[in-house]
């Protein structure tokens, strides 16, 4: 496995956070992990890694367990949230396996200590991994209940001095209404944090948007379903929406 990026292409960003949902890993299944889909996403990440970009990742756990829905069904909220955090560790390990199968050094870094399967979160160590062109997958959210993986991604992106958060979704940006339901939906090229919050556009939860705004961290929303979409945004050829001031 190589510890250094092989690409030297020009890109607007040198260090980024990729946030994807757990549901993105389940493909057409209704639950769990779909290995071909995990591998496809890993190959998308590989194309950006080969450009020499330093990559952080946060993956949700909704394909396995969602704390908020467990709480809604009568489970104690804190317990449900911790179960959701453990689901994100499972997804992180699956992505690590797929990336290392492609020859990319990857570290899973957990906010909940579990030394047998993941490193504990130590900021300086994580930064060093990135400098060595290792991909860092941050798991178990923030390690605290009541916080989403959106917030965890924004927090870790801020701590790692990422230059942008890339939010991989099923659509190629932020629209004024659901493009799957409305043919006249209009995509924004750029939109402000305040407009996202005021219009309840659902890019990320309000805490994550507020934290990104406070740290002037742009959020780039793009389609993870489009082959080459992640790389395309970085080399300037893709379609996306940027949330910023």
């Amino acid at each position: 496995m190589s510890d250094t990026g092989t690409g030297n292409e020009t890109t607007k960003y040198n260090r980024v956070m990729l946030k994807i949902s757990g549901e993105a890993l389940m493909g057409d299944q209704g639950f769990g992990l779909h290995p071909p889909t995990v591998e496809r996403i890993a190959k998308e990440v590989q194309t950006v890694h080969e450009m020499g970009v330093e990559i952080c990742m946060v993956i949700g756990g909704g394909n396995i367990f969602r704390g908020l829905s467990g709480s809604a069904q009568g489970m104690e909220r804190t317990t449900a949230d911790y179960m959701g955090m453990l689901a994100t560790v499972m997804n992180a390990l699956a992505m690590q396996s797929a990336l290392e199968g492609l020859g990319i050094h990857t570290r899973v870094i957990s906010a909940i200590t579990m030394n047998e399967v993941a490193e504990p979160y130590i900021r300086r160590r994580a930064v060093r991994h990135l400098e060595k062109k290792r991909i860092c997958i941050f798991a178990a959210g923030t390690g605290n209940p009541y916080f989403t993986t959106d917030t965890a991604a924004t927090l870790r992106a801020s701590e790692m001095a990422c230059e942008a958060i890339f939010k991989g979704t099923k659509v190629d940006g932020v629209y004024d209404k659901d493009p799957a339901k409305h043919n006249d939906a209009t995509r924004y090229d750029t939109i402000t944090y305040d407009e996202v919050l005021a219009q309840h556009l659902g890019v990320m939860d309000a805490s994550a948007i507020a934290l990104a705004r406070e740290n002037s961290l742009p959020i780039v929303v793009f389609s993870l379903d489009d082959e080459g979409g992640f790389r395309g945004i970085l080399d300037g050829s893709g379609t996306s929406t940027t949330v910023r001031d």
Side-chain angles (χ1 to χ4, degrees), residues 219-234:
I219 302 167
V220 182
V221 183
F222 71 104
S223 174
L224 199 62
D225 289 342
D226 295 339
E227 185 176 350
F230 187 21
R231 181 191 180 99
I233 306 305
L234 283 156

Side-chain angles (χ1 to χ4, degrees), residues 14 49 190:
N14 297 308
H49 179 263
T190 61

Side-chain angles (χ1 to χ4, degrees), residues 120-155:
Y121 175 67
I122 300 172
R123 188 185 68 84
R124 288 180 181 274
R125 180 187 292 176
V127 169
R128 185 60 179 147
H129 286 321
L130 292 172
E131 291 171 348
K132 291 182 176 181
K133 304 302 180 185
R134 297 167 181 161
I135 291 177
C136 290
I137 307 176
F138 296 99
T142 66
N144 301 288
Y146 296 96
F147 290 93
T148 67
T149 50
D150 279 347
T151 301
T154 310
L155 175 63

Side-chain angles (χ1 to χ4, degrees), residues 16-19 41 43-49 51 53-57 165-167 222-224 226-236 238:
V16 301
M17 166 65 72
L18 174 62
K19 167 62 172 68
I41 294 173
K43 287 179 178 177
E44 291 289 314
V45 174
Q46 179 188 31
T47 63
V48 172
H49 179 263
M51 297 172 74
V53 177
E54 297 170 3
I55 304 169
C56 303
M57 293 182 70
I165 299 173
F166 282 71
K167 177 73 181 286
F222 71 104
S223 174
L224 199 62
D226 295 339
E227 185 176 350
F230 187 21
R231 181 191 180 99
I233 306 305
L234 283 156
D235 67 19

Side-chain angles (χ1 to χ4, degrees), residues 154-201:
T154 310
L155 175 63
R156 295 293 183 242
S158 300
E159 291 177 304
M160 294 297 105
C162 291
E163 295 160 354
I165 299 173
F166 282 71
K167 177 73 181 286
T169 68
K170 292 186 177 296
V171 293
D172 59 355
V174 179
Y175 286 76
D176 60 349
K177 52 187 126 178
D178 188 347
K181 298 178 180 177
H182 303 276
N183 292 330
D184 61 342
T186 302
R187 185 182 60 81
Y188 300 100
D189 286 327
T190 61
I191 190 170
T192 68
Y193 305 109
D194 289 340
E195 287 171 333
V196 167
L197 291 172
Q199 297 179 44
H200 305 286
L201 293 176

